[in-house]
Amino acid sequence: MLARIFRPSKTAMQSGKANTKDWVLEFEPRDARQPDPLMGWTQTGDTASSQVRLSFETREEAVRYADQHGIAFQLIDSKPAKRIIKAYADNFAFSRRIPWTH
């Protein structure tokens, strides 16, 4: 069973960095999800990949856990966030390329 070790990104529903500090070990699904013929919900017979998600404080802890339990894993490093520092006063700067008008 293959697992992924990664640091989750922030969701679109939040502006802060909640739940992005920990590393997560999550199993890859064995089977594709299929729609239920009666209700239309997606279903799978693989419980481990859809319900088991382990959190670790550091990447090394997650890798050590996978090695100790014989779990094959794929380590996915996240890119650092590109910060663009802006100020409201930049709208009125003389060095602005496009003049600010109404």
Side-chain angles (χ1 to χ4, degrees):
M1 187 180 249
L2 183 65
R4 291 180 291 181
I5 297 175
F6 64 97
R7 181 179 277 174
S9 61
K10 68 179 193 136
T11 65
M13 299 304 292
Q14 65 187 15
S15 61
K17 292 186 177 183
N19 301 327
T20 61
K21 306 252 187 235
D22 291 340
W23 287 82
V24 175
L25 185 138
E26 187 176 76
F27 293 100
E28 289 283 337
R30 290 184 193 166
D31 303 330
R33 292 187 166 266
Q34 301 169 355
D36 181 43
L38 181 62
M39 297 297 290
W41 298 339
T42 58
Q43 66 182 1
T44 182
D46 187 17
T47 306
S49 68
S50 62
Q51 295 181 0
V52 177
R53 187 175 178 158
L54 304 173
S55 297
F56 299 94
E57 289 185 13
T58 63
R59 177 177 61 180
E60 290 77 22
E61 288 179 10
V63 169
R64 187 178 328 119
Y65 179 85
D67 287 337
Q68 287 177 351
H69 290 86
I71 300 170
F73 64 91
Q74 175 186 11
L75 187 62
I76 302 170
D77 286 327
S78 59
K79 296 179 184 177
K82 183 179 177 184
R83 301 278 179 194
I84 300 174
I85 299 173
K86 294 182 178 180
Y88 180 69
D90 292 340
N91 290 330
F92 309 102
F94 288 109
S95 61
R96 186 179 169 99
R97 291 184 183 180
I98 302 171
W100 186 84
T101 61
H102 275 75

